[in-house]
Amino acid sequence: MDNGLTAWEKNAKFWDDYMGDKSNCFHRNLIRPNVTKLLDIKKGDFILDIACGNGNYSEYLAQKGAKIVAFDYSEKMIQLAIKRRQAFSDSIEFNVCDATQYNELLKLKRNKSYDKAVANMAIMDIVDIRPLFSAVYMLLRINGVFVFATHHPCFTYPNDDYFTDAVEKGEAIPEQPVLQNYYHRSMQRIFNIAFEKGFVIDGFYEAPFEGEKIPIIMIVRLRKNN
Ligand SMILES: C[S@@+](CC[C@H](N)C(=O)[O-])C[C@H]1O[C@@H](n2cnc3c(N)ncnc32)[C@H](O)[C@@H]1O
């Protein structure tokens, strides 16, 4: 099965050059404010940054006084993240890890449970999210939260078929070297995977582009109750 890795390895340098230190307006205006409200970052929080790309949100978390374990399955992306975030090497530990591999994910366990986990614009890039949701549940402390921002599935689905899981090629940044995979799942599919693993939802936002009336992004907070 094509898990999209080849495309991300080819796009890693382009992505890092384009996003730079501060990421793009899309991230800064739509993703970061909503994710940050739901994540409620506290100094000393221990946070897992899932599919971290070039580490832009990891750096933001570090600036707020958190300790971060960040990972991505693209080795090139992680090399670029380490280089770009050198000044934060005391606070951010970068790893190569595939979010579809449960046992690999459990190796991200450190000497304490995570307070929080975050996945910015990533679950729609991940071929199978069940192992990730299971592992994050295991890695979080009781009452810990997992916040993710992703394409709003109700408004961005292929083939005129909202309910059926599907993969399509798409572009995160105009003129990126190769198209990447986007994995569509309905809202009930995503939420039911979270519920099966034991999470409850206790925070939710929908974000449109400025001036528009239809949200293209949804931001969800899952909580591990027990
Ligand atoms: C759209 S980028 C978002 C990056 C970062 N979270 C941000 O907001 O800047 C999606 C990232 O997901 C990563 N990714 C896709 N599938 C993955 C998987 N199975 N395991 C780990 N990372 C994955 C890609 O390599 C890419 O860096």
Side-chain angles (χ1 to χ4, degrees), residues 30-135:
L30 252 62
I31 309 299
R32 183 176 294 183
N34 289 301
V35 168
T36 302
K37 269 189 272 174
L38 291 182
L39 207 54
D40 187 23
I41 308 151
K42 302 273 191 285
K43 198 164 188 279
D45 272 350
F46 185 43
I47 304 182
L48 184 65
D49 186 0
I50 295 157
C52 61
N54 79 345
N56 95 82
Y57 198 67
S58 297
E59 176 178 325
Y60 180 76
L61 294 170
Q63 284 169 347
K64 301 268 175 223
K67 292 279 181 205
I68 302 100
V69 173
F71 75 90
D72 201 284
Y73 72 167
S74 161
E75 283 193 41
K76 280 201 188 127
M77 195 72 95
I78 288 298
Q79 282 163 11
L80 293 162
I82 291 170
K83 194 166 165 212
R84 190 172 282 284
R85 313 295 166 188
Q86 268 168 23
F88 296 89
S89 59
D90 287 352
S91 306
I92 311 171
E93 179 202 316
F94 285 106
N95 295 268
V96 177
C97 176
D98 184 341
T100 65
Q101 301 302 312
Y102 182 74
N103 290 333
E104 255 187 62
L105 288 164
L106 290 192
K107 290 186 191 148
L108 298 169
K109 186 169 167 26
R110 297 294 176 263
N111 58 4
K112 59 176 178 174
S113 300
Y114 291 91
D115 299 301
K116 292 164 187 176
V118 63
N120 286 328
M121 299 312 284
I123 70 162
M124 77 278 183
D125 292 306
I126 297 175
V127 59
D128 177 9
I129 59 170
R130 285 173 193 276
L132 177 69
F133 280 45
S134 299

Side-chain angles (χ1 to χ4, degrees), residues 11-12 17 30 44 48 53 58 111 151 169-170 174 181 184 193 197:
N11 288 336
D17 288 344
L30 252 62
L48 184 65
S58 297
N111 58 4
H151 284 163
K169 295 283 178 194
N181 290 348
H184 168 76
I193 291 172
K197 305 304 173 195

